[in-house]
Amino acid sequence: MAEHLKRRIGLGLLTAYGVGVMIGAGIYVLVGAVAADAGIWAPLAFLVAGLIATPTALSYSEFSTRIPEAAGEAAYVGKGLNSQVLAVVIGLAIVAAGTVSAAAVLRGGVGYLTLVVDVPYVAALVAIALLLTGVAVFGVMESLALAAIFTVIELVGLGLVVWAGTAAEPVADWITQPEIVWSGVGAGAVLAFFAFIGFEDIVNMAEEVSEPERTMPRAILIALVVTTIIYAVVAWVTVRAVPLDALGSSERPLALVWQAGTGGDAKFLSTIAVFAALNGVLAQIVMASRVLFGLGKRNPSLAIFHRANPRTGTPVLATVLVGGMVLIGALVLNVSQLAEMTSSILLSVFVIVNLALIFEKRRNPEAPFRVPMIVPVAGLLLAGAALVFNIQTAL
């Protein structure tokens, strides 16, 4: 078994992977909740949320060129804060968060599938988990190519929603154009920030990327910009086509957009949501297995995972373990409650990574891709504020 992954991923596939991770099934629900806070200014809230995410994304971009390793955040924290113990804790937290998130998304996706096709729930769940794990074992190019196809399907679905929204008659809320209430926009932006979580998964593919010093920052930033634009456009057509009181109380706001624009049934959105879920599960299995692979290099007790199959170029044992944990989690755990914790875990990691970059830049200013010191400082403060908000909301 080899100890190195194969560098085969280019900018296109890596960017598609990042966009697919960020644009998941969440946008199908979250846009309504953001509109409840920000009103018709929900598109602005998403733009502000993208700006909030930008400093941390830039910090990840610089670190990804300084330390292009599969362990991602664990490697950054280990180097920046000079603590391998904290590095392992961070790495295992990322694996746990990815596993729980994938389990929750898998359950939701199978739920949508049973609305479209009459299949046994448990059998479908097991079959999909095994199939996606098998794809992740088979090869990273195959995994990311399949993820790219799923991403295209998601984007087509959102494109159809945008088309329907522009065809709908503007509602009274949109026509009256009330003044901006910045407190509402701010609250909506903090909520919308969680739709951008996922860009950090890109860095864990670093050991399989061609020319990571050039490719990683570009992929992270392009994915963030593309996602921000998509979210803002979807939010725009949503608040234009559907009354705000209906949006705030709906669990399927984009279905309301479709009905407003076409007058037809929006069952096809359930099919799109299935593909969004498959994309999310596959991306998290691939990501978490790479983190385990990277941790195996840094900790002797995890060294068994620092092995890549010479034929497939994938960390088979790590992938099988993560896929198995996702399946078990989806079958036996109360993943809906656990999934709510993943945002707090990831925001805590954002704070620590930004802090680690501050220390690393003070010791060694030179890097293939550099950002000003104000960037990680802003990332730390903004991620910390979002973490406090998230904890207060959960209490």
Side-chain angles (χ1 to χ4, degrees), residues 1-2 4 6 8 134 137-140 142 308-314 316:
M1 300 288 279
H4 301 284
K6 297 180 179 180
R8 304 165 62 193
V137 167
F138 188 69
V140 68
E142 292 78 7
N309 185 283
R311 185 179 65 82
T312 64
T314 58
V316 175

Side-chain angles (χ1 to χ4, degrees), residues 209-385:
V209 173
S210 302
E211 299 183 276
E213 292 80 6
R214 295 181 66 252
T215 305
M216 298 296 295
R218 293 164 66 194
I220 293 171
L221 297 177
I222 292 172
L224 182 62
V225 170
V226 169
T227 304
T228 301
I229 293 171
I230 291 170
Y231 284 161
V233 171
V234 170
W236 167 66
V237 299
T238 300
V239 296
R240 179 184 179 277
V242 183
L244 293 176
D245 56 352
L247 281 179
S249 60
S250 175
E251 293 184 354
R252 300 183 67 203
L254 298 193
L256 298 180
V257 178
W258 181 261
Q259 291 164 358
T262 67
D265 189 274
K267 283 186 178 179
F268 83 96
L269 288 178
S270 294
T271 304
I272 300 294
V274 173
F275 286 103
L278 293 176
N279 201 0
V281 175
L282 180 58
Q284 294 300 322
I285 291 174
V286 171
M287 179 278 295
S289 63
R290 269 59 183 179
V291 176
L292 268 181
F293 175 88
L295 289 177
K297 178 182 177 180
R298 316 185 79 81
N299 188 282
S301 62
L302 299 172
I304 190 173
F305 297 114
H306 193 63
R307 296 288 185 274
N309 185 283
R311 185 179 65 82
T312 64
T314 58
V316 175
L317 181 59
T319 304
V320 170
L321 177 62
V322 171
M325 291 193 303
V326 169
L327 175 57
I328 293 171
L331 287 172
V332 304
L333 295 178
N334 186 347
V335 291
S336 60
Q337 292 183 352
L338 291 173
E340 294 175 0
M341 297 171 56
T342 61
S343 293
S344 294
I345 292 173
L346 291 173
L347 286 170
S348 300
V349 172
F350 289 173
V351 170
I352 296 171
V353 168
N354 279 297
L355 180 63
L357 183 58
I358 292 171
F359 279 88
E360 184 63 18
K361 286 175 74 69
R362 288 173 64 95
R363 284 193 301 263
N364 180 20
E366 296 302 319
F369 174 85
R370 287 178 293 171
V371 298
M373 181 63 81
I374 189 62
V375 169
V377 172
L380 187 154
L381 295 176
L382 291 171

Side-chain angles (χ1 to χ4, degrees), residues 144-228:
L144 266 62
L146 182 60
I149 293 172
F150 290 157
T151 299
V152 170
I153 294 172
E154 290 180 62
L155 294 179
V156 168
L158 292 176
L160 290 172
V161 169
V162 170
W163 169 77
T166 55
E169 290 293 325
V171 297
D173 295 318
W174 178 262
I175 294 173
T176 57
Q177 290 285 312
E179 292 185 3
I180 297 178
V181 179
W182 285 106
S183 60
V185 172
V190 172
L191 183 58
F193 175 81
F194 298 106
F196 291 89
I197 289 177
F199 65 83
E200 73 283 356
D201 289 353
I202 296 174
V203 301
N204 295 297
M205 308 304 298
E207 290 187 39
E208 294 161 280
V209 173
S210 302
E211 299 183 276
E213 292 80 6
R214 295 181 66 252
T215 305
M216 298 296 295
R218 293 164 66 194
I220 293 171
L221 297 177
I222 292 172
L224 182 62
V225 170
V226 169
T227 304
T228 301

Side-chain angles (χ1 to χ4, degrees), residues 18-206:
V19 171
V21 171
M22 284 189 275
I23 299 182
I27 186 60
Y28 290 85
V29 177
L30 193 59
V31 65
V34 173
D37 285 332
I40 67 162
W41 302 104
L44 179 59
F46 276 102
L47 292 174
V48 172
L51 292 176
I52 293 173
T54 297
T56 297
L58 285 168
S59 293
Y60 270 74
S61 297
E62 177 168 331
F63 251 144
S64 71
T65 65
R66 286 176 176 267
I67 312 172
E69 294 186 17
E73 294 95 335
Y76 306 159
V77 171
K79 181 75 181 298
L81 300 181
N82 195 28
S83 172
Q84 293 307 313
V85 173
L86 182 57
V88 172
V89 170
I90 291 292
L92 292 177
I94 292 293
V95 173
T99 301
V100 170
S101 174
V105 171
L106 177 60
R107 286 184 64 148
V110 173
Y112 277 112
L113 179 64
T114 57
L115 294 176
V116 179
V117 184
D118 185 17
V119 293
Y121 179 87
V122 174
L125 190 149
V126 172
I128 290 174
L130 293 178
L131 177 62
L132 294 177
T133 302
V135 172
V137 167
F138 188 69
V140 68
M141 294 297 288
E142 292 78 7
S143 299
L144 266 62
L146 182 60
I149 293 172
F150 290 157
T151 299
V152 170
I153 294 172
E154 290 180 62
L155 294 179
V156 168
L158 292 176
L160 290 172
V161 169
V162 170
W163 169 77
T166 55
E169 290 293 325
V171 297
D173 295 318
W174 178 262
I175 294 173
T176 57
Q177 290 285 312
E179 292 185 3
I180 297 178
V181 179
W182 285 106
S183 60
V185 172
V190 172
L191 183 58
F193 175 81
F194 298 106
F196 291 89
I197 289 177
F199 65 83
E200 73 283 356
D201 289 353
I202 296 174
V203 301
N204 295 297
M205 308 304 298

